[in-house]
PDB file of all heavy atoms in Angstrom:
ATOM      1  N   LEU A  33      80.275  -3.406 158.457  1.00 98.00           N
ATOM      2  CA  LEU A  33      80.475  -4.484 157.488  1.00 98.00           C
ATOM      3  C   LEU A  33      81.850  -5.112 157.649  1.00 98.00           C
ATOM      4  O   LEU A  33      81.997  -6.344 157.673  1.00 98.00           O
ATOM      5  CB  LEU A  33      80.307  -3.938 156.066  1.00 98.00           C
ATOM      6  CG  LEU A  33      78.878  -3.615 155.646  1.00 98.00           C
ATOM      7  CD1 LEU A  33      78.871  -2.748 154.400  1.00 98.00           C
ATOM      8  CD2 LEU A  33      78.085  -4.902 155.395  1.00 98.00           C
ATOM      9  N   GLU A  36      82.164  -7.366 160.533  1.00 97.00           N
ATOM     10  CA  GLU A  36      81.470  -8.651 160.367  1.00 97.00           C
ATOM     11  C   GLU A  36      82.159  -9.547 159.344  1.00 97.00           C
ATOM     12  O   GLU A  36      81.616 -10.575 158.949  1.00 97.00           O
ATOM     13  CB  GLU A  36      80.014  -8.414 159.959  1.00 97.00           C
ATOM     14  CG  GLU A  36      79.154  -7.817 161.051  1.00 97.00           C
ATOM     15  CD  GLU A  36      78.977  -8.725 162.260  1.00 97.00           C
ATOM     16  OE1 GLU A  36      79.175  -9.958 162.099  1.00 97.00           O
ATOM     17  OE2 GLU A  36      78.642  -8.216 163.347  1.00 97.00           O
ATOM     18  N   VAL A  38      83.012  -8.768 156.176  1.00 98.00           N
ATOM     19  CA  VAL A  38      82.810  -8.434 154.763  1.00 98.00           C
ATOM     20  C   VAL A  38      84.059  -7.665 154.350  1.00 98.00           C
ATOM     21  O   VAL A  38      84.233  -6.503 154.702  1.00 98.00           O
ATOM     22  CB  VAL A  38      81.534  -7.597 154.555  1.00 98.00           C
ATOM     23  CG1 VAL A  38      81.379  -7.237 153.087  1.00 98.00           C
ATOM     24  CG2 VAL A  38      80.313  -8.368 155.052  1.00 98.00           C
ATOM     25  N   LEU A 162      69.393 -12.063 148.945  1.00 97.00           N
ATOM     26  CA  LEU A 162      70.060 -13.190 149.592  1.00 97.00           C
ATOM     27  C   LEU A 162      69.708 -14.513 148.920  1.00 97.00           C
ATOM     28  O   LEU A 162      70.577 -15.371 148.703  1.00 97.00           O
ATOM     29  CB  LEU A 162      69.676 -13.223 151.073  1.00 97.00           C
ATOM     30  CG  LEU A 162      70.355 -14.279 151.932  1.00 97.00           C
ATOM     31  CD1 LEU A 162      71.853 -14.025 152.036  1.00 97.00           C
ATOM     32  CD2 LEU A 162      69.726 -14.299 153.329  1.00 97.00           C
ATOM     33  N   LEU A 182      71.628  -5.679 151.174  1.00 98.00           N
ATOM     34  CA  LEU A 182      72.546  -5.898 152.289  1.00 98.00           C
ATOM     35  C   LEU A 182      72.627  -4.685 153.201  1.00 98.00           C
ATOM     36  O   LEU A 182      72.431  -4.785 154.418  1.00 98.00           O
ATOM     37  CB  LEU A 182      73.938  -6.239 151.754  1.00 98.00           C
ATOM     38  CG  LEU A 182      75.102  -6.236 152.764  1.00 98.00           C
ATOM     39  CD1 LEU A 182      74.848  -7.244 153.887  1.00 98.00           C
ATOM     40  CD2 LEU A 182      76.413  -6.539 152.047  1.00 98.00           C
ATOM     41  N   LEU A 192      72.160  -0.219 162.528  1.00 98.00           N
ATOM     42  CA  LEU A 192      73.420  -0.917 162.298  1.00 98.00           C
ATOM     43  C   LEU A 192      73.366  -2.364 162.772  1.00 98.00           C
ATOM     44  O   LEU A 192      74.034  -3.234 162.197  1.00 98.00           O
ATOM     45  CB  LEU A 192      74.569  -0.179 162.985  1.00 98.00           C
ATOM     46  CG  LEU A 192      74.943   1.181 162.388  1.00 98.00           C
ATOM     47  CD1 LEU A 192      76.018   1.850 163.237  1.00 98.00           C
ATOM     48  CD2 LEU A 192      75.425   1.026 160.950  1.00 98.00           C
ATOM     49  N   ASP A 193      72.580  -2.638 163.804  1.00 98.00           N
ATOM     50  CA  ASP A 193      72.457  -4.023 164.263  1.00 98.00           C
ATOM     51  C   ASP A 193      71.789  -4.883 163.191  1.00 98.00           C
ATOM     52  O   ASP A 193      72.179  -6.034 162.961  1.00 98.00           O
ATOM     53  CB  ASP A 193      71.659  -4.087 165.564  1.00 98.00           C
ATOM     54  CG  ASP A 193      72.444  -3.565 166.752  1.00 98.00           C
ATOM     55  OD1 ASP A 193      73.701  -3.574 166.686  1.00 98.00           O
ATOM     56  OD2 ASP A 193      71.824  -3.138 167.742  1.00 98.00           O
ATOM     57  N   ALA A 194      70.793  -4.327 162.532  1.00 98.00           N
ATOM     58  CA  ALA A 194      70.131  -5.055 161.449  1.00 98.00           C
ATOM     59  C   ALA A 194      71.104  -5.268 160.289  1.00 98.00           C
ATOM     60  O   ALA A 194      71.097  -6.335 159.648  1.00 98.00           O
ATOM     61  CB  ALA A 194      68.898  -4.283 160.970  1.00 98.00           C
ATOM     62  N   LEU A 195      71.946  -4.269 160.019  1.00 98.00           N
ATOM     63  CA  LEU A 195      72.963  -4.406 158.977  1.00 98.00           C
ATOM     64  C   LEU A 195      73.916  -5.553 159.314  1.00 98.00           C
ATOM     65  O   LEU A 195      74.238  -6.382 158.460  1.00 98.00           O
ATOM     66  CB  LEU A 195      73.741  -3.102 158.825  1.00 98.00           C
ATOM     67  CG  LEU A 195      75.011  -3.176 157.970  1.00 98.00           C
ATOM     68  CD1 LEU A 195      74.692  -3.583 156.538  1.00 98.00           C
ATOM     69  CD2 LEU A 195      75.750  -1.835 157.988  1.00 98.00           C
ATOM     70  N   ARG A 196      74.372  -5.586 160.554  1.00 98.00           N
ATOM     71  CA  ARG A 196      75.297  -6.649 160.962  1.00 98.00           C
ATOM     72  C   ARG A 196      74.652  -8.026 160.798  1.00 98.00           C
ATOM     73  O   ARG A 196      75.309  -8.989 160.372  1.00 98.00           O
ATOM     74  CB  ARG A 196      75.745  -6.426 162.404  1.00 98.00           C
ATOM     75  CG  ARG A 196      76.614  -5.202 162.594  1.00 98.00           C
ATOM     76  CD  ARG A 196      77.184  -5.141 164.009  1.00 98.00           C
ATOM     77  NE  ARG A 196      77.945  -3.934 164.218  1.00 98.00           N
ATOM     78  CZ  ARG A 196      77.472  -2.827 164.781  1.00 98.00           C
ATOM     79  NH1 ARG A 196      76.211  -2.788 165.191  1.00 98.00           N
ATOM     80  NH2 ARG A 196      78.233  -1.759 164.916  1.00 98.00           N
ATOM     81  N   ALA A 197      73.378  -8.119 161.126  1.00 98.00           N
ATOM     82  CA  ALA A 197      72.672  -9.396 160.978  1.00 98.00           C
ATOM     83  C   ALA A 197      72.599  -9.807 159.507  1.00 98.00           C
ATOM     84  O   ALA A 197      72.813 -10.983 159.166  1.00 98.00           O
ATOM     85  CB  ALA A 197      71.271  -9.296 161.574  1.00 98.00           C
ATOM     86  N   ARG A 198      72.295  -8.856 158.640  1.00 98.00           N
ATOM     87  CA  ARG A 198      72.248  -9.173 157.200  1.00 98.00           C
ATOM     88  C   ARG A 198      73.634  -9.556 156.693  1.00 98.00           C
ATOM     89  O   ARG A 198      73.780 -10.462 155.854  1.00 98.00           O
ATOM     90  CB  ARG A 198      71.694  -7.980 156.418  1.00 98.00           C
ATOM     91  CG  ARG A 198      70.217  -7.707 156.647  1.00 98.00           C
ATOM     92  CD  ARG A 198      69.675  -6.702 155.651  1.00 98.00           C
ATOM     93  NE  ARG A 198      70.307  -5.390 155.768  1.00 98.00           N
ATOM     94  CZ  ARG A 198      69.881  -4.411 156.564  1.00 98.00           C
ATOM     95  NH1 ARG A 198      68.813  -4.605 157.360  1.00 98.00           N
ATOM     96  NH2 ARG A 198      70.493  -3.242 156.609  1.00 98.00           N
ATOM     97  N   ALA A 199      74.666  -8.868 157.170  1.00 98.00           N
ATOM     98  CA  ALA A 199      76.029  -9.194 156.754  1.00 98.00           C
ATOM     99  C   ALA A 199      76.371 -10.635 157.125  1.00 98.00           C
ATOM    100  O   ALA A 199      76.980 -11.373 156.330  1.00 98.00           O
ATOM    101  CB  ALA A 199      77.024  -8.229 157.397  1.00 98.00           C
ATOM    102  N   ARG A 200      75.964 -11.056 158.303  1.00 98.00           N
ATOM    103  CA  ARG A 200      76.233 -12.437 158.706  1.00 98.00           C
ATOM    104  C   ARG A 200      75.479 -13.420 157.824  1.00 98.00           C
ATOM    105  O   ARG A 200      75.990 -14.505 157.491  1.00 98.00           O
ATOM    106  CB  ARG A 200      75.860 -12.635 160.182  1.00 98.00           C
ATOM    107  CG  ARG A 200      76.809 -11.909 161.146  1.00 98.00           C
ATOM    108  CD  ARG A 200      76.592 -12.347 162.583  1.00 98.00           C
ATOM    109  NE  ARG A 200      75.308 -11.896 163.133  1.00 98.00           N
ATOM    110  CZ  ARG A 200      75.123 -10.736 163.748  1.00 98.00           C
ATOM    111  NH1 ARG A 200      76.123  -9.872 163.884  1.00 98.00           N
ATOM    112  NH2 ARG A 200      73.934 -10.423 164.234  1.00 98.00           N
ATOM    113  N   GLN A 201      74.259 -13.051 157.436  1.00 98.00           N
ATOM    114  CA  GLN A 201      73.478 -13.928 156.556  1.00 98.00           C
ATOM    115  C   GLN A 201      74.152 -14.075 155.187  1.00 98.00           C
ATOM    116  O   GLN A 201      74.275 -15.184 154.658  1.00 98.00           O
ATOM    117  CB  GLN A 201      72.066 -13.375 156.378  1.00 98.00           C
ATOM    118  CG  GLN A 201      71.204 -13.451 157.628  1.00 98.00           C
ATOM    119  CD  GLN A 201      69.851 -12.799 157.416  1.00 98.00           C
ATOM    120  OE1 GLN A 201      69.720 -11.786 156.725  1.00 98.00           O
ATOM    121  NE2 GLN A 201      68.820 -13.391 158.005  1.00 98.00           N
ATOM    122  N   TYR A 202      74.573 -12.943 154.614  1.00 98.00           N
ATOM    123  CA  TYR A 202      75.231 -13.001 153.304  1.00 98.00           C
ATOM    124  C   TYR A 202      76.541 -13.766 153.390  1.00 98.00           C
ATOM    125  O   TYR A 202      76.867 -14.566 152.505  1.00 98.00           O
ATOM    126  CB  TYR A 202      75.467 -11.585 152.754  1.00 98.00           C
ATOM    127  CG  TYR A 202      74.331 -11.086 151.903  1.00 98.00           C
ATOM    128  CD1 TYR A 202      73.262 -10.401 152.471  1.00 98.00           C
ATOM    129  CD2 TYR A 202      74.310 -11.301 150.536  1.00 98.00           C
ATOM    130  CE1 TYR A 202      72.204  -9.943 151.699  1.00 98.00           C
ATOM    131  CE2 TYR A 202      73.267 -10.849 149.751  1.00 98.00           C
ATOM    132  CZ  TYR A 202      72.215 -10.164 150.337  1.00 98.00           C
ATOM    133  OH  TYR A 202      71.173  -9.731 149.556  1.00 98.00           O
ATOM    134  N   ARG A 203      77.290 -13.551 154.452  1.00 97.00           N
ATOM    135  CA  ARG A 203      78.551 -14.263 154.603  1.00 97.00           C
ATOM    136  C   ARG A 203      78.336 -15.755 154.778  1.00 97.00           C
ATOM    137  O   ARG A 203      79.116 -16.566 154.266  1.00 97.00           O
ATOM    138  CB  ARG A 203      79.339 -13.714 155.789  1.00 97.00           C
ATOM    139  CG  ARG A 203      80.077 -12.415 155.498  1.00 97.00           C
ATOM    140  CD  ARG A 203      81.319 -12.300 156.352  1.00 97.00           C
ATOM    141  NE  ARG A 203      82.231 -13.408 156.110  1.00 97.00           N
ATOM    142  CZ  ARG A 203      83.119 -13.844 157.000  1.00 97.00           C
ATOM    143  NH1 ARG A 203      83.210 -13.299 158.198  1.00 97.00           N
ATOM    144  NH2 ARG A 203      83.923 -14.846 156.703  1.00 97.00           N
ATOM    145  N   ALA A 204      77.296 -16.128 155.468  1.00 97.00           N
ATOM    146  CA  ALA A 204      77.013 -17.550 155.648  1.00 97.00           C
ATOM    147  C   ALA A 204      76.783 -18.223 154.299  1.00 97.00           C
ATOM    148  O   ALA A 204      77.236 -19.354 154.063  1.00 97.00           O
ATOM    149  CB  ALA A 204      75.804 -17.749 156.554  1.00 97.00           C
ATOM    150  N   VAL A 205      76.087 -17.518 153.398  1.00 97.00           N
ATOM    151  CA  VAL A 205      75.812 -18.081 152.077  1.00 97.00           C
ATOM    152  C   VAL A 205      77.079 -18.114 151.231  1.00 97.00           C
ATOM    153  O   VAL A 205      77.427 -19.146 150.639  1.00 97.00           O
ATOM    154  CB  VAL A 205      74.705 -17.282 151.368  1.00 97.00           C
ATOM    155  CG1 VAL A 205      74.552 -17.744 149.921  1.00 97.00           C
ATOM    156  CG2 VAL A 205      73.387 -17.430 152.106  1.00 97.00           C
ATOM    157  N   THR A 206      77.790 -16.996 151.143  1.00 96.00           N
ATOM    158  CA  THR A 206      78.975 -16.948 150.278  1.00 96.00           C
ATOM    159  C   THR A 206      80.107 -17.813 150.824  1.00 96.00           C
ATOM    160  O   THR A 206      80.831 -18.455 150.057  1.00 96.00           O
ATOM    161  CB  THR A 206      79.457 -15.502 150.080  1.00 96.00           C
ATOM    162  OG1 THR A 206      79.673 -14.877 151.357  1.00 96.00           O
ATOM    163  CG2 THR A 206      78.419 -14.693 149.310  1.00 96.00           C
ATOM    164  N   ASP A 207      80.269 -17.852 152.134  1.00 91.00           N
ATOM    165  CA  ASP A 207      81.298 -18.716 152.710  1.00 91.00           C
ATOM    166  C   ASP A 207      80.966 -20.187 152.468  1.00 91.00           C
ATOM    167  O   ASP A 207      81.853 -21.013 152.267  1.00 91.00           O
ATOM    168  CB  ASP A 207      81.437 -18.474 154.214  1.00 91.00           C
ATOM    169  CG  ASP A 207      82.090 -17.131 154.536  1.00 91.00           C
ATOM    170  OD1 ASP A 207      82.512 -16.438 153.596  1.00 91.00           O
ATOM    171  OD2 ASP A 207      82.158 -16.790 155.728  1.00 91.00           O
TER     172      ASP A 207
END
Side-chain angles (χ1 to χ4, degrees):
L33 287 165
E36 290 295 339
V38 178
L162 184 65
L182 168 59
L192 291 175
D193 287 337
L195 168 61
R196 292 188 184 96
R198 290 191 297 271
R200 290 192 291 271
Q201 291 176 324
Y202 269 89
R203 281 209 59 205
V205 172
T206 54
D207 289 355

